[in-house]
Amino acid sequence: MNDPFDFSDDYLEPAQPAPVQGPPSYVETLNPEQRMAVEETDGPVLVLAGAGTGKTRVLTTRLAYIMDHGLAYAGEIMAVTFTNKAAAEMKERVAALLGRPVEGWWLGTFHALAARMVRAHAEVVGLTSNFTIIDTDDQIRLLKQIMEAEFIDEKKNPARNLMGVIQRWKDRGLTPEKVSPGEGAAYADGAAVRIYKIYQERLRLNNACDFGDLLLHVLTIFAEQPQILEQYQRRFRYVLVDEYQDTNVSQYLWLRLLAKQHRNICCVGDDDQSIYSWRGAEVANILKFEKDFPGAKVIRLERNYRSTAHILGAASGLISYNEDRLGKTLQPQSKDDAIKVRVESLWDGESEARFVGDEIEALQAKGESLNEMAILVRAGFQTREFEERMITLGLPYKVVGGLRFYEREEIRDAIAYLRVVNQPNDSLALERIINKPSRGFGPKTKGLQTLLEYARKSQISLYSAAMTLVDTDELSPKARTSLRDLLAQFELWRSLKDGLDVDDLVGQILDESGYMDWRIAETKKQKDMKAQGRVDNLKELVSGLKEFESLNEFLEHVSLVMEVQDRADDAKVTIMTLHAAKGLEFDNVFLPGWEEGTFPNQRALDESGNSALEEERRLGYVGITRARKRSIISYALRRRVFGQYNDMLPSRFVSELPEPHIETGGETGTPSGDYGGGNYGYSKFGDNPQRFTYRGKSENRPQKLVTIDAFDVTVSEAPDGGFRKGDHVRHGKFGSGVVLNVDGNKLDIAFASGGRKKVIDSFVEKI
């Protein structure tokens, strides 16, 4: 039996059909650029594959071509993907091209292939080949044990937050010894590196590793045993990588090392679709490919087989504002150029949802399938209004990559509070939130068990049991006090429910119960998208309550919504985030919420500045190019957040869409005039809508014409480093906005979320 890690020549030469002579038939069907990407087999190759240009076809055909021509045996090829699904598809398509199954090659995800290497050389990193790969729950549990032993306050330094730091270090290829003192001092009161080191040692003692270790251990093995690296370098004559723009530092270092000898590495990716920096992806990896591999061939796939000329023109115009890109121009193969990209201006979020719903019904009436329609949002909280509208219209829908709005944990919690206010004998609802936030009634505490047992024994509701036991010694003094306060709050809220608007009542409940503050504190501790999303969802819940006359009406509405069941084979509108939509395509795509602060996302801009702005723009490019026939962008002049209307500015991305490829319209009127390559939008200050147009500004690109008619703004030259009318700026409190007037060091600014403000110039920065 052959040893799978024997690198002798015998192992590398299994029986193989004779090489074909001349180009196989499947190569003849490729376009010239695709064919070049397949046939350029010597040396490093970077294939810049734009959206809809056939990158998967190129990858699979290249693999088949290499084996068909006898350039390498299957065991000498490594093909790396990001998902198991992509690996399985690649295997099937290559087998179909060759007319036979392919065995022995190294095809799989980064983690799967790295795990295979670590198991072969586990002793180098202190493990045995049967090591365990632990999941997230085990990671957190182990880290909590270490933090407790090291007297690290877990409340002040949440284990999940610290684990995120450790994983980011691993994604960057940093062992504890390689973390700089300055960076290590920034976390867990300076103890993060020590905890990281202990964590790694505990994993080793348990003969275990986590997913982040798989690449990190391989890098360690290669560094400590150069002969092992040399064996793999000799073995893999060809390395192929899919979605190269999504690689992190560890993956990048691993690939560079493996391809160092033969340099026959082919990376396929699109720098304009790098949208996962929050997962550790480094767009710089693809941008510096030619520097890493001198003499590399760069082949651009620019023939798009998916979208119309107007869709591609709009997307290309938008992405051209990014500075950090290699550049390419998508060329449409579709002859249908009648439908331009639509940009619709709506008065508010409710109007936007009605507009999208009406458009979907109209398209359906023309014979378009709901399966070919998608609503792509920047953040999960935006789905609520569209879900509500789909339900009202009776249009089946599905939320991809997440739960429906009313199924989300924080929304269920908020509704549980409302259910107890509306009907105190709802024991299931009270049990759900009695310890949210913590009141000493956790699932393992005696207090909760005492309440449940007494209610069950007395055959009364949990609320009634609580009313009785707050006056006895069955509960601890602390538990009695917190429970008494909660019951008093419920009585107060119940007395107010007929006198307050539903949104005001719910806002008061979320505030006075401490639930909203608890979720906000969770966000600050964890600093991740999921935690922040919970707060945004709660605000969106309150915003949506204005339309209900009573609490009972809302709760009945929720019950009916939760009962909506669609058959699996029904055609459905797809609702999802822009991040989740990458790699998918639909005939008709709706892109709502294109306002400053929403998209581009204000938190992203505040945290990462211009790099975040460019990634947000890439998200817009991804969204537009998901569409085959129609791409419809919309923005609202006002958004209701936490029960309050906020004035909104159209996204700068709207002004960056090239005028020849778009048509504008909407409830606020169709703008006219000289676009100057930009587009008009509207904002509402006071009681009157005001018209303005502006153009985004990149660091090395001149500012375009800016006119804000209602405020008589003209562009004037500014002193070096100074501000001028029309500049885009960001303020720490008020967010992003546009300068309307300059008076010395005082700026008059129209902010996206805070209206018109006067501020000192030292408090803002250009964006």
Side-chain angles (χ1 to χ4, degrees):
M1 178 178 178
N2 286 331
D3 179 351
F5 299 100
D6 177 3
F7 291 91
S8 68
D9 290 341
D10 288 340
Y11 173 69
L12 292 176
E13 295 183 1
Q16 183 90 342
V20 298
Q21 300 299 318
S25 58
Y26 52 76
V27 173
E28 300 289 348
T29 62
L30 301 176
N31 69 41
E33 296 79 21
Q34 291 173 333
R35 183 164 179 169
M36 186 186 303
V38 167
E39 295 180 337
E40 287 285 356
T41 55
D42 293 330
V45 175
L46 175 63
V47 181
L48 286 177
T53 57
K55 75 174 181 65
T56 303
R57 187 181 186 190
V58 165
L59 267 175
T60 54
T61 306
R62 182 180 173 92
L63 282 165
Y65 183 89
I66 288 170
M67 285 185 279
D68 250 350
H69 281 72
L71 300 175
Y73 298 107
E76 296 175 303
I77 300 172
M78 185 175 76
V80 191
T81 66
F82 268 84
T83 66
N84 291 317
K85 180 181 178 181
E89 180 184 359
M90 192 177 296
K91 187 174 184 178
E92 290 175 6
R93 291 175 68 164
V94 172
L97 290 173
L98 294 175
R100 64 180 185 273
V102 181
E103 303 295 340
W105 62 350
W106 284 52
L107 167 65
T109 64
F110 278 97
H111 287 128
L113 297 180
R116 188 172 173 182
M117 291 180 177
V118 177
R119 291 198 188 280
H121 312 285
E123 70 283 353
V124 178
V125 288
L127 302 173
T128 62
S129 61
N130 64 338
F131 63 82
T132 300
I133 302 173
I134 65 172
D135 60 18
T136 303
D137 289 342
D138 286 337
Q139 287 178 273
I140 299 299
R141 188 163 63 251
L142 175 58
L143 195 60
K144 284 182 176 180
Q145 293 172 4
I146 296 170
M147 293 174 68
E148 184 178 356
E150 293 295 311
F151 303 103
I152 303 296
D153 186 354
E154 209 268 329
K155 289 185 177 180
K156 183 179 178 183
N157 300 284
R160 194 171 294 276
N161 195 19
L162 182 54
M163 181 53 65
V165 172
I166 291 172
Q167 290 305 313
R168 285 194 294 275
W169 284 337
K170 291 184 178 185
D171 287 344
R172 291 163 53 199
L174 300 177
T175 59
E177 296 74 26
K178 292 181 180 179
V179 178
S180 68
E183 189 171 357
Y187 304 100
D189 298 325
V193 175
R194 185 175 85 248
I195 298 299
Y196 179 16
K197 189 172 184 178
I198 297 171
Y199 171 76
Q200 292 299 95
E201 181 61 22
R202 288 286 297 277
L203 286 175
R204 188 187 65 79
L205 291 174
N206 283 280
N207 194 36
C209 68
D210 59 31
F211 277 97
D213 283 323
L214 295 173
L215 269 296
L216 193 65
H217 283 337
V218 173
L219 294 176
T220 300
I221 290 167
F222 288 172
E224 295 185 1
Q225 302 285 338
Q227 71 278 12
I228 295 176
L229 171 59
E230 189 177 344
Q231 288 176 333
Y232 282 107
Q233 288 174 334
R234 287 203 313 268
R235 177 191 186 107
F236 297 126
R237 298 182 60 84
Y238 287 93
V239 175
L240 289 86
V241 188
D242 192 13
E243 304 287 8
Y244 188 62
Q245 79 280 348
D246 292 335
T247 53
N248 61 36
V249 174
S250 287
Q251 293 162 345
Y252 160 79
L253 293 172
W254 181 64
L255 291 168
R256 277 190 63 191
L257 287 170
L258 289 172
K260 189 174 182 180
Q261 183 171 341
H262 290 287
R263 298 178 76 245
N264 289 333
I265 181 171
C266 176
C267 293
V268 181
D270 184 1
D271 52 322
D272 291 334
Q273 296 188 69
S274 180
I275 58 174
Y276 296 124
S277 64
W278 48 277
R279 290 197 318 211
E282 290 280 352
V283 69
N285 293 347
I286 194 169
L287 296 178
K288 61 183 180 180
F289 185 88
E290 291 178 275
K291 181 180 178 181
D292 291 334
F293 298 97
K297 299 180 180 69
V298 178
I299 300 170
R300 288 170 168 81
L301 303 186
E302 298 176 312
R303 302 191 190 198
N304 178 281
Y305 295 94
R306 176 190 302 158
S307 306
T308 66
H310 286 308
I311 289 172
L312 297 181
S316 296
L318 174 64
I319 201 63
S320 70
Y321 278 80
N322 273 7
E323 302 291 340
D324 292 332
R325 62 189 296 260
L326 296 171
K328 59 188 169 301
T329 303
L330 296 181
Q331 302 295 331
Q333 301 304 297
S334 169
K335 302 301 181 184
D336 182 6
D337 60 356
I339 304 174
K340 292 187 176 184
V341 172
R342 287 174 61 186
V343 179
E344 295 285 325
S345 171
L346 289 310
W347 286 118
D348 53 32
E350 293 89 341
S351 299
E352 185 178 52
R354 285 196 299 272
F355 161 74
V356 171
D358 291 347
E359 286 294 311
I360 289 174
E361 284 195 313
L363 289 171
Q364 187 184 30
K366 293 178 181 178
E368 300 273 357
S369 170
L370 295 181
N371 284 334
E372 290 297 338
M373 302 185 203
I375 302 170
L376 308 182
V377 297
R378 173 59 181 86
F381 76 89
Q382 294 174 258
T383 70
R384 184 200 62 82
E385 286 181 323
F386 300 103
E387 290 187 58
E388 297 272 15
R389 193 61 188 162
M390 296 301 104
I391 292 166
T392 300
L393 296 175
L395 292 170
Y397 73 94
K398 60 183 176 181
V399 177
V400 175
L403 298 171
R404 294 190 183 202
F405 186 80
Y406 291 112
E407 294 172 342
R408 296 167 187 172
E409 177 190 354
E410 62 280 4
I411 301 303
R412 284 182 176 271
D413 289 345
I415 290 171
Y417 270 102
L418 306 185
R419 283 166 55 185
V420 178
V421 170
N422 199 56
Q423 205 274 90
N425 291 327
D426 191 334
S427 297
L428 292 175
L430 180 58
E431 183 181 353
R432 180 182 181 92
I433 50 84
I434 194 170
N435 202 53
K436 293 182 177 182
S438 177
R439 300 185 180 93
F441 287 92
K444 297 181 180 179
T445 61
K446 290 183 179 179
L448 181 58
Q449 294 305 317
T450 300
L451 282 174
L452 291 170
E453 288 175 10
Y454 181 75
R456 190 162 47 246
K457 190 180 299 181
S458 304
Q459 295 188 326
I460 57 177
S461 69
L462 191 62
Y463 195 94
S464 297
M467 292 288 287
T468 300
L469 294 183
V470 291
D471 294 324
T472 73
D473 293 324
E474 299 291 339
L475 302 173
S476 68
K478 182 179 178 181
R480 283 204 309 274
T481 300
S482 63
L483 184 59
R484 187 179 292 112
D485 290 343
L486 178 62
L487 293 175
Q489 285 179 317
F490 272 120
E491 293 299 322
L492 172 63
W493 298 329
R494 199 168 291 119
S495 70
L496 297 174
K497 78 182 183 79
D498 294 328
L500 285 179
D501 289 338
V502 182
D503 57 329
D504 291 333
L505 174 65
V506 175
Q508 185 170 332
I509 291 172
L510 291 176
D511 281 340
E512 293 179 354
S513 66
Y515 188 84
M516 179 63 84
D517 286 341
W518 177 54
R519 287 301 190 188
I520 291 173
E522 176 186 63
T523 300
K524 292 178 179 178
K525 287 180 180 179
Q526 296 184 13
K527 295 182 180 179
D528 63 18
M529 295 174 65
K530 186 175 180 181
Q532 179 60 51
R534 291 194 178 112
V535 175
D536 291 339
N537 290 337
L538 290 168
K539 292 179 179 179
E540 180 62 23
L541 173 68
V542 176
S543 298
L545 293 169
K546 203 91 176 170
E547 62 193 80
F548 295 96
E549 294 293 331
S550 68
L551 179 60
N552 193 60
E553 181 189 349
F554 169 68
L555 292 174
E556 183 174 327
H557 167 77
V558 171
S559 298
L560 294 174
V561 167
M562 298 293 278
E563 280 299 310
V564 172
Q565 297 289 333
D566 296 323
R567 296 197 314 271
D569 57 350
D570 279 347
K572 300 180 182 71
V573 177
T574 298
I575 303 176
M576 64 199 309
T577 65
L578 287 163
H579 283 101
K582 185 170 175 289
L584 303 178
E585 56 187 76
F586 305 87
D587 283 346
N588 305 290
V589 170
F590 295 87
L591 300 164
W594 280 44
E595 303 113 16
E596 286 293 305
T598 304
F599 185 55
N601 180 271
Q602 189 61 50
R603 282 193 304 275
L605 298 185
D606 291 342
E607 291 174 4
S608 302
N610 194 61
S611 64
L613 176 60
E614 295 216 342
E615 181 156 325
E616 293 287 297
R617 193 176 279 113
R618 291 195 290 268
L619 264 179
Y621 171 85
V622 167
I624 294 172
T625 56
R626 296 312 91 198
R628 299 190 193 98
K629 294 160 59 175
R630 294 178 183 84
S631 189
I632 302 173
I633 296 167
S634 59
Y635 60 87
L637 304 189
R638 299 191 303 166
R639 289 280 175 195
R640 195 161 55 197
V641 180
F642 215 172
Q644 299 294 320
Y645 272 110
N646 286 343
D647 297 317
M648 309 301 290
L649 293 172
S651 169
R652 72 195 72 190
F653 300 157
V654 170
S655 73
E656 293 171 357
L657 298 170
E659 185 271 337
H661 298 293
I662 64 171
E663 61 176 359
T664 59
E667 297 175 339
T668 60
T670 302
S672 61
D674 181 10
Y675 283 82
N679 185 28
Y680 282 104
Y682 295 81
S683 186
K684 189 171 183 182
F685 298 97
D687 296 324
N688 300 310
Q690 310 292 353
R691 184 165 62 100
F692 67 93
T693 176
Y694 58 89
R695 171 67 93 163
K697 177 176 180 293
S698 297
E699 188 173 329
N700 299 318
R701 196 182 296 272
Q703 182 82 14
K704 301 293 184 181
L705 176 67
V706 177
T707 60
I708 304 182
D709 298 346
F711 303 118
D712 190 27
V713 175
T714 57
V715 175
S716 58
E717 292 300 320
D720 292 343
F723 293 88
R724 63 183 180 182
K725 299 169 187 178
D727 277 347
H728 281 280
V729 296
R730 179 170 56 244
H731 186 280
K733 179 179 179 181
F734 303 124
S736 60
V738 179
V739 176
L740 303 178
N741 286 298
V742 179
D743 181 12
N745 67 339
K746 297 177 182 178
L747 306 179
D748 187 5
I749 301 175
F751 287 103
S753 59
R756 187 172 177 174
K757 308 283 185 184
K758 289 186 182 294
V759 300
I760 303 298
D761 58 10
S762 60
F763 285 90
V764 298
E765 61 178 346
K766 292 182 182 179
I767 53 176

